[in-house]
Amino acid sequence: VLILAAAAAFAGCGGADAPHGPGPSPSPSVNTTPGAVVGRFLLRVTPAPSCNMGGSVALPMLAAAAGASPYPGVQALVAGGGDPLEVELMSVAQAVRGGFGTTERGALGDDGTRLWIRAIGSGPLVRSADGRGEVAAGRLAGYVAFGFAAGPEGSLGECDSVDHTFTLRATP
Amino acid sequence: LSALLLAVLASALQVRVAPALAPCVLPLTETVGRDAGLRVTAAAAAPDPPGEVDVVIADEGELTRLLEGGRAVLATAVDLGVARAGIAASADDERRRARRGPQMAVAAQIAGSRNAVAARAFLAHLQTARARARLERCFAAATPAVPAAMDAYGRAIVDWWIPQCSLERNGYNDPEQAVGPPDAVNLGGPDRYRGLVSLGQGGYVTVELGEAAIDRNGPDIRVFQTTTAEPVTLYASAAADGPFVLIGLRVPCGQRLQGVFSRYCDFDLREAGLGLARYVKIEDGEIYPCLEGGTLTEGADIDAVQTLNR
């Protein structure tokens, strides 16, 4: 009886090699809900392939909540000042939409390319590694132009399209 | 005598003419100056920033920021006729002008001009029959054809959004102003209007049309937009909650209609393959940074929307 009981008890312990274990242990729940779009981000704007402008331009941005009515809003500005690039977004149902605008001076990207933009961006929010909301695959409809740092608007190309893209990635 | 007195007292009147208009306008400035008894120095250059000049002459689209921001005096602005899109200073300029379409050429005095009296005399002489006839010959001025109007304007606002930044800085935030027939007016001076909603940076209003628009020959929907030729993006749908289909992207909205203060731009449902639209989403196409705007009317200024074909 003792041997049978011991055998039964041993079998009940299961183990990696046990053919009939106790079932999968519950996995920890993964929070996929994007948090607020606040803090430091890297905005990357890529012209539509049909524009043949090549490459993309990235700028560090600082985002903050901006209003709640009629929809919650987000305002993102170029971090550290400089020529303005302003992003005004509404945030609804884990997605954002709104205007990306520069003045006539454009805004200098981190690789020395100057960006001019007047476009409406939209895209789903996803949860970044640190829990904030970010845009991993956004679309831009409107005007995008590139130029040399001190050159005129569009000296490296300009294009109207509904197929430009952008990302707004959370950064530390 | 007064013209002679002006000529003696004032230094030469500095006139800046947008390069695209220079072939027609520069020769005229000399004649008009002579007629007005003024010493005029005119040069072709971009109108913005205006620098030290007294008068600027350009497409109204090029003068948007000067007039809206009060750097040019709106009350002095005079229309000189519709300039053809083909008069361009360069290939880039030609592309931009083609995108905007024909626009009204406008002359205005720069705020704070030291030759304000002479500037106004010059602007008055630009409007004489002789001067206008000369310009018309060069511009081939044309009044846009007016499709048969039907009284079917926006009936209700079903959705809207204007960024908080724009709500705090603009003076015209009531989306209901886009309902009904065009009724916007200027109350005198820059940024003093009634009867419009300014969309701010990338804002929109979604309007239920009084009568559904049906795709027929020609444009089906007309948007009335008030200040200069600020661009408008239009989406349409058969249902209030969409899906909304893009009809026109950043379309310059500055055509003129006799007897209506606001300008307009037209949209054809056929361009998006839509047969019918009952709801339209009108979105700002200017998309100028809100914090940099400095006016009470940032973004496209929507007065009304009209069903042309039903």
Side-chain angles (χ1 to χ4, degrees):
Chain A
V1 172
L2 282 175
I3 292 171
L4 285 174
F10 183 76
C13 289
D17 296 325
H20 300 291
S25 58
S27 58
S29 64
V30 178
N31 184 357
T32 58
T33 305
V37 183
V38 293
R40 293 187 175 278
F41 290 82
L42 185 69
L43 170 68
R44 182 172 296 279
V45 173
T46 306
S50 61
C51 297
N52 293 316
M53 288 166 62
S56 60
V57 171
L59 300 97
M61 305 290 285
L62 200 54
S69 178
Y71 298 106
V74 173
Q75 181 185 66
L77 305 170
V78 175
D83 289 329
L85 162 61
E86 184 171 344
V87 179
E88 295 283 349
L89 301 170
M90 57 182 275
S91 177
V92 180
Q94 296 187 15
V96 291
R97 177 187 183 86
F100 291 56
T102 55
T103 66
E104 296 80 357
R105 298 192 302 277
L108 196 58
D110 58 7
D111 70 343
T113 302
R114 192 167 286 274
L115 165 72
W116 289 262
I117 185 168
R118 291 164 207 108
I120 297 294
S122 59
L125 282 174
V126 295
R127 186 179 175 88
S128 68
D130 65 8
R132 287 179 287 159
E134 64 176 12
V135 181
R139 294 181 74 100
L140 283 164
Y143 172 80
V144 170
F146 289 170
F148 297 109
E153 179 172 340
S155 55
L156 291 174
E158 60 178 6
C159 187
D160 284 294
S161 175
V162 297
D163 293 323
H164 306 305
T165 58
F166 77 97
T167 60
L168 188 64
R169 292 287 199 177
T171 57
Chain B
L1 182 62
S2 61
L4 187 63
L5 193 60
L6 277 173
V8 170
L9 291 178
S11 56
L13 189 74
Q14 304 290 322
V15 178
R16 180 173 296 183
V17 181
L21 301 181
C24 288
V25 175
L26 275 183
L28 182 73
T29 58
E30 193 177 320
T31 310
V32 168
R34 203 164 44 239
D35 290 351
L38 300 168
R39 284 191 296 135
V40 175
T41 303
D48 192 2
E52 298 295 311
V53 303
D54 303 297
V55 171
V56 288
I57 302 176
D59 280 352
E60 59 184 354
E62 295 175 290
L63 294 185
T64 298
R65 306 219 65 78
L66 291 180
L67 289 169
E68 276 204 336
R71 285 183 290 159
V73 183
L74 185 63
T76 68
V78 295
D79 294 343
L80 302 177
V82 176
R84 287 177 308 204
I87 307 171
S90 66
D92 279 351
D93 188 35
E94 187 168 0
R95 259 201 324 276
R96 290 195 180 95
R97 291 171 64 78
R99 205 162 50 216
R100 291 199 305 260
Q103 290 204 21
M104 185 68 72
V106 174
Q109 179 206 316
I110 292 299
S113 160
R114 282 171 296 188
N115 288 322
V117 175
R120 295 194 183 206
F122 177 79
L123 291 170
H125 275 78
L126 272 180
Q127 296 176 86
T128 61
R130 180 179 169 192
R132 292 191 69 88
R134 273 196 68 169
L135 267 183
E136 278 177 14
R137 280 198 297 276
C138 195
F139 281 166
T143 304
V146 182
M150 291 186 276
D151 294 330
Y153 298 98
R155 175 158 54 194
I157 300 297
V158 297
D159 188 22
W160 67 280
W161 177 72
I162 295 172
Q164 183 66 26
C165 173
S166 303
L167 287 174
E168 290 169 359
R169 288 163 178 77
N170 276 351
Y172 308 95
N173 296 326
D174 179 8
E176 296 293 332
Q177 297 300 324
V179 171
D183 59 356
V185 291
N186 179 259
L187 301 174
D191 279 355
R192 294 194 62 224
Y193 296 97
R194 187 177 63 207
L196 58 86
V197 55
S198 299
L199 296 180
Q201 184 186 341
Y204 68 86
V205 288
T206 304
V207 183
E208 179 185 9
L209 298 172
E211 300 256 5
I214 308 288
D215 176 36
R216 301 191 196 285
N217 286 336
D220 307 305
I221 294 168
R222 173 167 294 174
V223 172
F224 290 90
Q225 191 282 137
T226 305
T227 57
T228 64
E230 290 176 322
V232 163
T233 295
L234 190 87
Y235 311 80
S237 175
D241 56 355
F244 282 88
V245 178
L246 178 67
I247 306 296
L249 178 68
R250 301 189 67 237
V251 174
C253 206
Q255 298 185 69
R256 291 291 186 87
L257 197 58
Q258 202 165 12
V260 179
F261 177 72
S262 290
R263 299 52 183 329
Y264 74 89
C265 44
D266 287 343
F267 298 86
D268 191 339
L269 294 174
R270 190 163 304 179
E271 290 185 13
L274 274 188
L276 175 147
R278 186 171 293 281
Y279 298 88
V280 291
K281 180 175 181 177
I282 307 165
E283 191 170 57
D284 168 49
E286 185 185 31
I287 319 176
Y288 197 81
C290 166
L291 293 170
E292 300 291 316
T295 77
L296 298 178
T297 56
E298 280 306 313
D301 306 294
I302 306 304
D303 179 2
V305 57
Q306 180 184 14
T307 299
L308 297 175
N309 288 326
R310 56 182 173 179

